[in-house]
Amino acid sequence: MSERNPMDKNTASRQRALVVGLGISGITSALRLHRAGWDVVVLEKAPERRRGGYFLALFGAGLAAAERLGFADAVSNRVAPDSVSHDVDRTGRRRRGVGYADVFPGSRLTVRGDIEDAAFTALPDEVEIRYSTVPVALDQYLDGVDVEIRDLTTETTTVERFDLVVGADGLRSTVRRLAFEPEPSPIRRLNYMIAVYSLPEPVPGYRPQDGLTMAEAGRSVWVFPFADRPPSVLFSYRTDDVDAEFTRPAIDSLRAAYGAEPTGSTLGWLLDQFEKAPDHLFDSTEQVHLDHWYRGRVVLVGDAAWCLTLYSGMGASAGLAGADLLGTMLERHPHDVPRALQDWEDHLRPFIDYHLGSGVSQRGFLTPGNRAELLLRSVMIRLGRLPVAGRLLATKSARMKSLDIAAAAA
């Protein structure tokens, strides 16, 4: 069993919580609830914990939560030393660009697996984890929730009582479907596709620590460098028919989206490497908009509740902050779960609403949707190269990315 943190508490009686999902939000929720004095069971649909993951930035809001939970130091900062970001085009022309580290110098550039590994290592042995297991029905009562649980290996089901159910099972959440239907789907498509993978080597003609961006109207490619591993690549493009993008292999959709003109050597090489990659992520970008993130004693956290999208850059940080604040409010109202959930949402809602909006507005910087957005992006990059102007452009966004929600609610 891992050493207990000084913030471990038993201010509440030993209530029982079920957490569904073993990603960043789920692991952090389990850890924080245990620290608040709860007995915790975690269900994970997969037969084992996933490994690896691609580029993401961890901002102050998430780092503050990780610090309190004792695993921030275990999350590597993989920012490449002496990194330079280049804006490039299909002809091979390059000029100095602006990267994540330039705009948000306080962020920690890492990969998803680093955060999950660090949080998972911090989980005490008392937290019970059941793999290949899913909830199939929820029945709520004033004093608890009866959950029908299916073991996918044995195909057997059991019913167990919990005082709280936390849905941290992602964009297409089973807990949300069970607890919130028959309401209309809260998923809103942004009409953009993303494809992410890891390169086996640096981009030809560039140093390993160099970042690249190729932005065109309606599409972009980003290469994110790391200090100690090959870069990650993000393709992002606009589409009028999301469903059609899934009717063919991902590489065919990418070549159709990017191949109307000659690709040039760099883009052509990146597309070829995607086709050869042993694994990749290919998906549509979608947000979740709910009037409430809880119903009775069932609460949603992370992508299941809001799904800020990678365009906001805040998915991991918001998941950590939301889970941390949840534990804080349950400690504040130890025997009144509905009151704690209401208090949690009241404090968290303005923060999440801001980043849902920034996920749309910042999309124009990562992937300009038309020529007007492309021109605006060029102006922002030129201003961003000026130290004072760059700081002014990032001030409000940086402040909101660094907001310590749990401390602000104290």
Side-chain angles (χ1 to χ4, degrees):
M1 179 172 61
S2 58
E3 185 177 347
R4 290 178 65 87
N5 186 285
M7 76 175 284
D8 287 351
K9 298 180 179 181
N10 283 291
T11 57
S13 60
R14 300 300 296 187
Q15 300 181 90
R16 196 164 184 245
L18 177 69
V19 176
V20 181
L22 199 59
I24 291 174
S25 296
I27 298 171
T28 310
S29 294
L31 177 58
R32 185 63 181 88
L33 288 172
H34 180 270
R35 295 277 173 88
W38 289 63
D39 292 327
V40 184
V41 176
V42 182
L43 304 186
E44 169 54 45
K45 183 177 181 179
E48 60 184 14
R49 191 168 65 86
R50 65 179 178 178
R51 306 285 177 172
Y54 302 106
F55 166 92
L56 59 79
L58 190 60
F59 294 93
L63 284 169
E67 287 278 2
R68 274 190 293 273
L69 290 168
F71 62 83
D73 290 344
V75 179
S76 301
N77 189 355
R78 296 181 180 269
V79 63
D82 193 29
S83 178
V84 174
S85 296
H86 300 277
D87 262 19
V88 304
D89 63 20
R90 295 179 185 234
T91 69
R93 184 179 63 177
R94 68 177 77 175
R95 60 184 182 274
R96 184 69 178 263
V98 175
Y100 252 100
D102 301 316
V103 179
F104 301 109
S107 63
R108 186 173 300 185
L109 307 185
T110 185
V111 293
R112 179 172 297 278
D114 285 355
I115 302 174
E116 291 182 348
D117 288 346
F120 188 82
T121 300
L123 276 179
D125 293 342
E126 292 93 341
V127 174
E128 180 185 355
I129 301 174
R130 305 178 191 174
Y131 293 100
S132 299
T133 311
V134 296
V136 293
L138 303 174
D139 289 317
Q140 291 215 53
Y141 302 90
L142 288 177
D143 59 347
V145 186
D146 284 349
V147 184
E148 185 177 350
I149 299 171
R150 176 171 296 158
D151 185 315
L152 299 177
T153 302
T154 64
E155 292 298 328
T156 58
T157 60
T158 57
V159 176
E160 298 182 38
R161 169 63 66 97
F162 295 91
D163 299 285
L164 174 69
V165 174
V166 180
D169 48 344
L171 171 64
R172 299 169 181 90
S173 168
T174 295
V175 173
R176 189 180 67 230
R177 175 176 57 82
L178 294 174
F180 286 76
E181 285 190 351
E183 291 184 2
S185 173
I187 294 177
R188 295 185 189 177
R189 284 178 168 173
L190 300 186
N191 289 329
Y192 280 78
M193 303 296 296
I194 58 168
V196 187
Y197 72 104
S198 295
L199 287 173
E201 60 190 66
V203 179
Y206 293 87
R207 302 179 306 163
Q209 66 267 40
D210 287 348
L212 281 71
T213 307
M214 182 180 295
E216 301 173 340
R219 57 198 178 192
S220 67
V221 187
W222 288 70
V223 177
F224 298 106
F226 297 102
D228 53 359
R229 59 186 289 172
S232 285
V233 181
L234 166 67
F235 290 97
S236 172
Y237 64 92
R238 192 183 188 286
T239 180
D240 292 325
D241 190 347
V242 169
D243 293 330
E245 301 299 319
F246 295 107
T247 61
R248 54 192 172 186
I251 183 59
D252 292 345
S253 289
L254 284 176
R255 292 193 185 280
Y258 289 83
E261 307 89 33
T263 60
S265 58
T266 298
L267 177 58
W269 186 82
L270 291 172
L271 288 167
D272 289 343
Q273 294 304 311
F274 179 87
E275 189 169 13
K276 299 174 186 176
D279 56 73
H280 65 259
L281 169 68
F282 181 72
D283 207 349
S284 55
T285 58
E286 298 168 341
Q287 293 183 332
V288 174
H289 289 256
L290 285 166
D291 292 335
H292 294 286
W293 297 322
Y294 74 95
R295 177 163 291 178
R297 291 173 174 265
V298 178
V299 63
L300 304 173
V301 178
D303 285 354
W306 46 74
C307 194
L308 302 177
T309 77
L310 59 80
Y311 299 131
S312 77
M314 283 295 291
S317 295
L320 290 166
D324 183 31
L325 181 64
L326 178 62
T328 298
M329 293 308 171
L330 288 167
E331 288 173 338
R332 182 173 296 178
H333 309 288
H335 301 292
D336 191 346
V337 169
R339 171 73 182 278
L341 298 184
Q342 180 66 65
D343 211 3
W344 170 79
E345 181 167 323
D346 288 345
H347 282 89
L348 188 60
R349 175 69 68 171
F351 175 80
I352 295 299
D353 283 349
Y354 174 85
H355 290 296
L356 282 169
S358 72
V360 175
S361 61
Q362 290 180 190
R363 187 271 310 150
F365 180 77
L366 273 86
T367 309
N370 49 48
R371 293 189 180 278
E373 289 187 358
L374 186 61
L375 177 61
L376 178 60
R377 181 184 183 277
S378 298
V379 172
M380 291 176 64
I381 288 176
R382 286 197 292 270
L383 289 174
R385 295 194 193 105
L386 304 174
V388 174
R391 286 194 296 270
L392 289 174
L393 285 171
T395 296
K396 182 175 181 180
S397 180
R399 185 173 67 251
M400 291 300 291
K401 290 178 186 295
S402 297
L403 184 61
D404 187 346
I405 296 297

